[in-house]
């Protein structure tokens, strides 16, 4: 599969602090790639470099076939970035946010594009309301919808479910899966192991400035000793209990 992202030997330091110490990975087109790491591991630094917001100290990176440092304008025309906090205007309505971005990106018929995205992301009924009245999950869905305007082939999602409740997280997961299903390449950074397990085609673990392991979930599991079969009573997780109760309550 042709790669949408290629990173080789990426370096970045802030004074004496080495954040990236030679990062290497590639992301296939139309796939979901999860970059795992604890706080301070350098995940956001990688995303900022790939999205041309930060210059590396060394190494090379290409996005959609364009070299990040040599062709930044072409890279920016190929991507969309959704950060840890929803970049929405709370004074505007959801529809007005989408139309504004559509006009900035010079797409044809921005009103129709906005309406189509509101429908796709289940926000039609809320489209005429000020975003300041939205829940966290609704804001995040609107934020991702805004990132799709112009049909960018590559999307960076930097910890997209941070601070969301379990129900909202599942909504966002569904949208991310649908993006990849439609051919969009998704680079996802997260601290949540379950999130990477549920979504990613390939996973890389960034630790102390380098990628220490990379592969599919099956490949990563194969690195550990075979699991021992034990027969234990499985109790539902708190998340399962929460979602079951919310679901039952919605039906009453």
């Amino acid at each position: 599969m042709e790669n949408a992202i290629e990173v080789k030997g990426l370096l970045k330091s802030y004074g004496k602090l080495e954040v990236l110490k030679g990062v290497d990975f590639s992301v296939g087109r139309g796939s979901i790639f999860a970059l795992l790491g604890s706080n301070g591991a350098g995940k956001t630094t990688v995303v900022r470099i790939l999205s041309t917001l930060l210059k590396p100290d060394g190494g090379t990176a290409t996005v959609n076939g364009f070299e990040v440092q040599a062709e930044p304008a072409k890279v920016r025309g190929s991507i969309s970035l959704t950060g840890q906090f929803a970049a929405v205007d709370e004074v505007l309505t959801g529809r007005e946010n989408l139309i504004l971005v559509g006009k900035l990106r010079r797409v044809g018929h921005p009103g129709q594009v906005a309406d189509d995205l509101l429908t796709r992301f289940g926000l039609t009924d809320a489209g005429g309301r000020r975003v300041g009245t939205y829940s966290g999950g609704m804001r995040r869905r609107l934020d991702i919808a805004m990132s799709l305007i112009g049909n960018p082939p590559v999307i960076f999602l930097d910890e997209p479910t941070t601070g969301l409740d379990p129900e909202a997280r599942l909504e966002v997961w569904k949208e991310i899966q649908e993006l990849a299903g439609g051919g969009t390449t998704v680079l996802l950074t997260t601290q949540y192991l379950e999130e990477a397990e549920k979504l990613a085609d390939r996973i890389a673990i960034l630790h102390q400035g380098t990628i220490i392991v990379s592969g599919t979930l099956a490949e990563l599991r194969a690195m550990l000793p075979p699991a021992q079969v034990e027969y234990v009573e499985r109790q539902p997780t708190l998340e399962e209990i929460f979602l079951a109760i919310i679901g039952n309550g919605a039906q009453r």
Side-chain angles (χ1 to χ4, degrees):
M1 181 185 295
E2 182 186 356
N3 291 322
I5 302 172
E6 290 274 3
V7 175
K8 297 180 180 178
L10 210 57
L11 302 170
K12 185 62 185 179
S13 298
Y14 297 98
K16 295 182 179 180
L17 177 62
E18 293 182 285
V19 179
L20 304 179
K21 304 175 184 177
V23 171
D24 302 272
F25 65 85
S26 60
V27 182
R29 290 191 181 277
S31 67
I32 301 176
F33 182 88
L35 188 59
L36 287 177
S38 57
N39 276 333
K43 304 185 302 298
T44 297
T45 299
V46 170
V47 170
R48 287 175 62 82
I49 289 173
L50 293 179
S51 56
T52 76
L53 297 176
L54 187 66
K55 291 185 178 181
D57 297 329
T60 61
T62 60
V63 177
N64 198 36
F66 303 116
E67 213 285 324
V68 168
Q69 293 196 77
E71 304 170 286
K74 291 182 178 179
V75 171
R76 288 193 289 270
S78 301
I79 67 169
S80 192
L81 168 63
T82 296
Q84 297 179 26
F85 304 99
V88 294
D89 189 318
E90 296 190 356
V91 175
L92 300 179
T93 67
R95 188 174 188 273
E96 288 170 342
N97 269 275
L98 291 166
I99 290 175
L100 175 62
V101 174
K103 289 181 177 179
L104 290 173
R105 294 188 178 176
R106 299 180 181 179
V107 301
H109 309 290
Q112 184 59 54
V113 170
D115 290 338
D116 291 344
L117 286 169
L118 288 170
T119 300
R120 174 177 174 180
F121 284 81
L123 294 170
T124 300
D125 291 342
R129 284 168 37 199
R130 290 178 56 249
V131 173
T133 67
Y134 284 19
S135 67
M138 292 169 68
R139 292 185 191 203
R140 178 54 76 190
R141 279 186 283 152
L142 178 63
D143 197 22
I144 295 175
M146 290 163 61
S147 72
L148 297 185
I149 294 176
N151 298 315
V154 179
I155 291 183
F156 300 117
L157 300 176
D158 190 14
E159 302 196 18
T161 62
T162 297
L164 297 185
D165 61 59
E167 194 172 18
R169 284 174 62 205
L170 292 179
E171 291 176 356
V172 172
W173 288 0
K174 178 184 176 183
E175 297 301 338
I176 293 172
Q177 289 171 323
E178 290 184 356
L179 285 179
T184 303
T185 302
V186 179
L187 189 152
L188 167 76
T189 74
T190 183
Q191 301 178 55
Y192 302 130
L193 303 184
E194 183 188 10
E195 189 158 270
E197 185 175 347
K198 293 284 187 183
L199 297 177
D201 299 300
R202 295 186 65 82
I203 301 165
I205 298 176
L206 181 63
H207 182 65
Q208 296 182 348
T210 60
I211 300 290
I212 58 172
V213 67
S214 179
T216 65
L217 180 59
E219 289 169 345
L220 299 187
R221 282 175 171 160
M223 296 178 182
L224 300 178
Q228 294 182 350
V229 177
E230 296 181 359
Y231 295 94
V232 297
E233 181 181 352
R234 181 185 179 277
Q235 297 293 331
T237 65
L238 183 57
E239 182 169 315
E240 289 171 336
I241 294 170
F242 176 88
L243 292 172
I245 293 173
I246 291 295
N248 290 337
Q251 296 171 4
R252 287 197 293 267

